[in-house]
Amino acid sequence: MDLSSLLHDLRLSSSPSEKPHPSPPLPPITELLSWLQKKLIGAADKPSESSSLIGQVAQLFKAADPDWLFSLAPDDQNSGWEELQVAYSSVISALIGCAALPLCENDSSSLSAEAYRSVPSQAAAVSSALTALLEHWDKGGRARGKVTKLVFIVAPPICVFSITHFQLQDQVWTSAASRTAARRLHEALLRAGGWTDSAHLLMGDRGILGGVLDLLQPQLTKDSWQRCEAMKLVFVWTLLQVTRPFLSPHLPLLLPPSLLLNDHYKPENCMLGVRCLHHIVLNTPAADLRQFNRAEVLYQALFKHLYTSEAAVIQLVLSCLLDLLLVLEKPPSSLGPSCSRRKPCRHDDVLRLVLTHMEAEHKVALRRVYVSALPLYVERMGVSVCRHLRRVERVVLGYLEVRDPPEETSRLKILEVLQRTTREAWPRMERRVDAFLPSLLRLLVDVSSDSSLGDPVRRQLMDQSSASIRLLDACSHGRVQRLLQRVDDSCCGAEVLGCLATAERSPVTPGGGALGQTDS
């Protein structure tokens, strides 16, 4: 269908009394865009009517001559160009409005899947229409230079719309067709503006991050962010694209929504918030985070999650706290032996709470999360771990006794904790040999006779147990070797004896350290 026929069909749907002209002159583009805007707004609440209209608009954009699309934008007519900018911005907003997501009545309710039934097809049609328009803009005709400026103006709403519908996971407001169409629209936007990827779109030359955040801000307040399910996902996607040094100038707009998500009672929202906060911590200079006490606010917002029972939330929080603590204070391991009697700090608070929870924890998922994070905290503490040795001892002994098939993640990690603690606090470990050695020997015997374990896992457990015994022997000045000489084949099998012989023949020297304060 040619352009004249499309224009006639569009106007015929509005004015049935008009008779077709054999070759009607093309109307001014601003006049047509203004007329299309009114038609689209009127049909927004009627899915069947708006779908037909959007399809005609897409065909119109595909058939149009780029020179006609920008016919009021010659270099010497700035007023005409401004009028065209407003016209295109308005018609694009009207198109996007035809696929707008329904809003919840309040922040405590949710919509059923039926409420989104017409959204995917509408979104796919709108994406196709906008893609057709942007592909013509990519050509630009004689007004290519000014077309590029127009792309920068309309890019923020198009970007937000495409992000809303090309989310990687299935959402109730998307379908396979709408996600594919939205991805094509996003790629067309990148080509039209000369951006290489999404990060360049937001942060590159004439990036649109500020425009995108201005659009999202009214929908991300305390009272409104839960009314539209997609907005939080759009915000998270946008934030995770932004890295330093571009994130810091926008921190006042990025931090409040992240804290709102972090504080929500639903675990899935809380996890999104923690990811956002972690990204902010990693990509913002420490001085900017300490300004206005932001780092302390983040610490308090994250620390409270250590009292939850959601393993996935705690895993993210422990990882984020490990990086945030470096912003708030120097790591204890960097202060040296002379500072070992300093006052406890936030590192101690986190480690103490983690160890306390580990002692009584019985859920497998939570035990794995805690024990996977513990080695990094022990390493960060350095010799200051001496203040927590009693708790560390109880946790290590308790975790060595409980099986964790099939990978034995908990026992392998707790052996790593024992080895790191021995290296850092070796002068204090001699008195604890009598507690750790029997537990390690029982572990060797149990593992050697456990037929349910795979050979690689059994080998790892026995090797790490032997390494722990060697370290205990080194910090006790050879007392462990003398005790092991009493062990013979009447006590255990040949495999265990082989491990013990290896431990006796491979002396090691524990890492340097200094005496610290005892834990209370």
Side-chain angles (χ1 to χ4, degrees):
M1 185 179 292
D2 60 19
L3 183 58
S4 298
S5 301
L6 284 169
L7 290 174
H8 170 259
D9 288 347
L10 283 168
R11 290 185 175 273
L12 186 62
S13 63
S14 173
S15 305
S17 60
E18 292 183 5
K19 295 182 180 180
H21 192 281
S23 58
L26 295 178
I29 184 62
T30 51
E31 178 185 326
L32 176 64
L33 292 175
S34 177
W35 184 82
L36 285 176
Q37 178 200 3
K38 294 177 182 177
K39 290 284 292 180
L40 289 166
I41 292 175
D45 297 331
K46 307 169 184 175
S48 58
E49 182 179 335
S50 62
S51 295
S52 175
L53 181 58
I54 293 169
Q56 290 178 311
V57 172
Q59 293 180 34
L60 174 67
F61 288 149
K62 289 178 182 178
D65 183 353
D67 290 329
W68 173 67
L69 289 174
F70 310 104
S71 55
L72 285 184
D75 293 340
D76 57 348
Q77 291 188 13
N78 290 328
S79 60
W81 176 250
E82 292 174 2
E83 182 183 357
L84 191 64
Q85 288 179 348
V86 173
Y88 269 118
S89 297
S90 300
V91 79
I92 287 173
S93 297
L95 272 170
I96 292 174
C98 291
L101 271 63
L103 299 178
C104 298
E105 294 183 0
N106 52 63
D107 58 5
S108 60
S109 61
S110 58
L111 296 175
S112 64
E114 180 63 22
Y116 298 97
R117 183 171 55 87
S118 63
V119 173
S121 59
Q122 293 289 90
V126 171
S127 296
S128 299
L130 291 175
T131 301
L133 179 60
L134 289 174
E135 286 176 347
H136 264 313
W137 285 4
D138 194 22
K139 303 170 187 175
R142 293 189 295 269
R144 183 69 182 99
K146 290 201 170 183
V147 171
T148 302
K149 296 180 182 179
L150 179 57
V151 173
F152 293 134
I153 294 173
V154 301
I158 294 178
C159 180
V160 171
F161 174 77
S162 63
I163 296 168
T164 302
H165 294 278
F166 74 51
Q167 297 293 328
L168 294 180
Q169 68 261 32
D170 293 344
Q171 301 291 348
V172 290
W173 60 86
T174 68
S175 64
S178 69
R179 289 192 294 273
T180 300
R183 280 192 290 269
R184 288 175 181 167
L185 172 60
H186 196 72
E187 292 166 1
L189 177 62
L190 296 178
R191 289 194 301 270
W195 294 292
T196 56
D197 53 26
S198 298
H200 189 214
L201 168 69
L202 296 172
M203 302 180 293
D205 298 335
R206 305 187 71 175
I208 63 169
L209 176 60
V212 170
L213 292 179
D214 288 341
L215 286 176
L216 295 179
Q217 199 64 23
Q219 304 178 70
L220 291 173
T221 64
K222 181 179 179 181
D223 299 325
S224 63
W225 75 269
Q226 297 181 67
R227 297 193 62 198
C228 183
E229 187 73 14
M231 283 303 101
K232 65 183 180 184
L233 301 177
V234 175
F235 171 76
V236 172
W237 182 91
T238 302
L239 171 58
L240 296 183
Q241 302 298 314
V242 184
T243 56
R244 66 168 65 203
F246 303 97
L247 191 148
S248 185
H250 299 280
L251 195 57
L253 295 178
L254 296 171
L255 194 53
S258 301
L259 288 170
L260 285 175
L261 287 170
N262 173 80
D263 290 340
H264 201 248
Y265 68 94
K266 290 184 178 179
E268 58 269 23
N269 291 333
C270 180
M271 290 166 63
L272 288 175
V274 176
R275 286 195 183 99
C276 290
L277 294 179
H278 198 179
H279 185 80
I280 288 173
V281 170
L282 293 175
N283 290 278
T284 305
D288 290 341
L289 284 177
R290 287 192 288 263
Q291 191 178 26
F292 308 122
N293 214 28
R294 288 170 178 147
E296 182 63 31
V297 171
L298 294 181
Y299 174 74
Q300 296 298 335
L302 292 165
F303 187 81
K304 68 182 182 183
H305 289 312
L306 295 181
Y307 292 94
T308 186
S309 59
E310 294 289 339
V313 174
I314 292 180
Q315 183 176 16
L316 294 174
V317 168
L318 289 174
S319 177
C320 184
L321 280 173
L322 199 64
D323 292 313
L324 178 61
L325 287 170
L326 292 179
V327 176
L328 289 163
E329 60 194 23
K330 292 182 179 179
S333 59
S334 70
L335 298 178
S338 61
C339 299
S340 61
R341 292 186 178 275
R342 62 180 177 78
K343 293 181 179 180
C345 58
R346 295 179 185 85
H347 279 86
D348 294 282
D349 295 338
V350 174
L351 181 58
R352 185 181 300 111
L353 184 59
V354 168
L355 291 171
T356 300
H357 288 171
M358 290 181 73
E359 285 187 65
E361 190 52 61
H362 64 280
K363 295 180 180 178
V364 174
L366 273 172
R367 289 170 66 91
R368 288 174 178 171
V369 167
Y370 282 130
V371 80
S372 295
L374 190 57
L376 296 175
Y377 278 90
V378 171
E379 183 181 16
R380 178 73 62 79
M381 291 296 296
V383 68
S384 298
V385 76
C386 287
R387 280 198 292 271
H388 306 275
L389 279 183
R390 289 179 184 174
R391 288 186 177 89
V392 171
E393 177 183 333
R394 292 195 294 266
V395 168
V396 170
L397 294 177
Y399 276 59
L400 286 178
E401 292 178 358
V402 179
R403 296 176 67 251
D404 184 22
E407 302 298 330
E408 291 291 351
T409 304
S410 295
R411 291 206 283 195
L412 285 171
K413 282 293 183 180
I414 209 67
L415 287 170
E416 183 182 350
V417 170
L418 175 58
Q419 293 169 28
R420 293 195 180 193
T421 303
T422 305
R423 289 191 177 95
E424 297 294 346
W426 63 270
R428 293 296 184 89
M429 295 299 287
E430 181 176 4
R431 69 180 69 175
R432 289 175 165 80
V433 167
D434 292 337
F436 287 124
L437 185 58
S439 185
L440 290 171
L441 292 175
R442 281 196 298 271
L443 176 62
L444 283 172
V445 173
D446 291 344
V447 168
S448 65
S449 59
D450 191 347
S451 59
S452 64
L453 288 176
D455 288 338
V457 174
R458 179 188 290 107
R459 190 71 262 163
Q460 276 187 290
L461 281 170
M462 301 194 77
D463 289 346
Q464 294 304 313
S465 299
S466 299
S468 301
I469 291 173
R470 289 197 297 272
L471 284 170
L472 290 174
D473 179 64
C475 72
S476 65
H477 309 290
R479 189 162 72 90
V480 170
Q481 290 190 26
R482 294 192 292 273
L483 292 173
L484 292 180
Q485 290 174 358
R486 305 175 186 175
V487 179
D488 54 26
D489 56 2
S490 63
C491 304
C492 54
E495 189 175 14
V496 175
L497 290 176
C499 287
L500 297 180
T502 303
E504 292 179 19
R505 291 195 303 269
S506 306
V508 296
T509 302
L515 296 177
Q517 296 175 340
T518 59
D519 61 340
S520 55

